[in-house]
């Protein structure tokens, strides 16, 4: 079964540094999402793409976070500069016909 | 404002017992209610889902009960097994393809 791929799986960085996460959705899925999951809580949507266009980025802290999906396939989420409170699991998901598929996530630790 | 409220936060059940997790929602525009199972270090995986025009849906040992008037829905895991130990999230969506909103999660531990 096709899966959503994410890399890296783990990232440790110091505050004020820049980090980037990559996601490759299931082939053919036009809708791609980035979620942030703080330990012990449910995932919260950061940004939603439809093809290469941003549909919803209302919860994305735009002063430090950016996301792109230039060719409407894979996507990159960037944080610059990272803050201690950004420590979390960053999940990518893609959807088709009302079904969401999540990747394994990137566990970010900011020291 | 938390649009989907989930309880309990944690649950311990003996092997063979019934696990029950409850969720309540506020937005009557929600039209799709999935449950996700998440193991440590993994992304959430769809377990079972229901639409508000159905009061109950069963798949194997997993059953969703839905009460539209009360704006509540619950997950029942029959004959709970140690392998069911995971975190469970209820979620809600308004018009498929829209935003998937999660509850806070329930950490289930099934004791042998």
């Amino acid at each position: 079964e096709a899966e959503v791929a994410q890399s890296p799986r783990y990232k440790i960085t110091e505050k004020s540094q820049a980090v980037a996460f990559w996601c490759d959705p299931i082939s053919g899925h036009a809708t791609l999402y980035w979620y942030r999951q703080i330990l012990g809580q449910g995932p919260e949507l950061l940004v939603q793409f439809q093809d290469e266009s941003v549909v919803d980025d209302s919860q994305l802290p735009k002063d430090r976070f950016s996301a792109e999906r230039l060719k409407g396939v894979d996507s990159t989420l960037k944080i610059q500069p990272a803050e201690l409170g950004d420590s979390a699991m960053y999940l990518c998901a893609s959807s088709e016909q009302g079904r969401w598929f999540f990747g394994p996530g990137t566990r970010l630790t900011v020291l | 404002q938390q649009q989907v409220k989930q309880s309990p936060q944690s649950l311990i059940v003996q092997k063979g017992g019934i696990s029950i997790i409850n969720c309540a929602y506020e937005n009557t525009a929600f039209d799709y209610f999935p449950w996700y199972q998440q193991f440590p270090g993994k992304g959430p995986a769809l377990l079972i889902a229901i639409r508000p025009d159905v009061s109950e849906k069963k798949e194997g040992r997993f059953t969703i009960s839905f009460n539209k008037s009360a704006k509540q829905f619950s997950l029942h895991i029959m004959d709970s097994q140690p392998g069911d130990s995971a975190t469970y999230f209820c979620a809600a969506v308004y018009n498929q393809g829209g935003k998937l909103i999660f509850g806070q999660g329930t950490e289930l531990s099934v004791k042998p």
Side-chain angles (χ1 to χ4, degrees):
Chain A
E1 184 177 72
E3 297 180 341
V4 175
Q6 288 188 250
S7 67
R9 293 292 312 277
Y10 304 92
K11 180 69 177 180
I12 300 174
T13 190
E14 294 184 345
K15 64 179 182 179
S16 79
Q17 296 299 302
V19 293
F21 314 133
W22 176 81
C23 171
D24 191 12
I26 293 174
S27 178
H29 284 193
T31 311
L32 182 148
Y33 311 81
W34 284 100
Y35 281 83
R36 177 170 59 186
Q37 184 177 20
I38 295 171
L39 191 63
Q41 298 183 19
E44 294 183 324
L45 181 69
L46 290 174
V47 61
Q48 177 183 348
F49 288 93
Q50 183 68 28
D51 298 311
E52 68 275 12
S53 300
V54 173
V55 174
D56 184 349
D57 63 355
S58 58
Q59 299 303 309
L60 188 71
K62 298 181 187 66
D63 57 335
R64 298 184 301 106
F65 286 64
S66 65
E68 61 182 17
R69 193 184 184 197
L70 294 176
K71 297 183 179 179
V73 180
D74 59 339
S75 175
T76 302
L77 178 69
K78 297 179 181 177
I79 308 175
Q80 182 174 17
E83 295 181 353
L84 295 178
D86 296 332
S87 294
M89 175 80 85
Y90 290 83
L91 294 163
C92 179
S94 64
S95 71
E96 182 182 62
Q97 297 181 349
R99 291 196 61 179
W100 278 255
F101 299 85
F102 286 83
T106 295
R107 169 70 66 188
L108 173 66
T109 301
V110 182
L111 303 175
Chain B
Q1 182 182 13
Q2 187 68 38
Q3 295 193 55
V4 181
K5 296 181 180 180
Q6 182 172 347
S7 63
Q9 187 174 358
S10 63
L11 181 62
I12 299 174
V13 174
Q14 290 296 125
K15 178 182 176 182
I18 302 173
S19 303
I20 301 174
I21 304 170
N22 301 299
C23 283
Y25 63 97
E26 300 173 356
N27 191 336
T28 55
F30 289 140
D31 60 3
Y32 181 67
F33 300 88
W35 283 89
Y36 285 84
Q37 180 187 57
Q38 185 177 30
F39 293 103
K42 303 288 188 180
L46 178 65
L47 191 61
I48 186 172
I50 197 168
R51 297 189 181 282
D53 55 345
V54 177
S55 61
E56 184 176 282
K57 183 174 181 179
K58 182 177 180 180
E59 290 183 2
R61 295 184 296 109
F62 301 92
T63 299
I64 301 177
S65 296
F66 192 88
N67 186 329
K68 188 174 180 178
S69 61
K71 293 188 287 186
Q72 295 176 348
F73 58 111
S74 60
L75 176 69
H76 296 233
I77 305 175
M78 312 299 288
D79 186 26
S80 299
Q81 300 296 312
D84 297 330
S85 297
T87 300
Y88 292 80
F89 294 96
C90 61
V93 184
Y94 33 80
N95 58 60
Q96 287 190 27
K99 190 183 302 185
L100 183 62
I101 298 172
F102 285 86
Q104 300 93 320
T106 296
E107 187 174 0
L108 171 66
S109 179
V110 181
K111 299 300 185 184

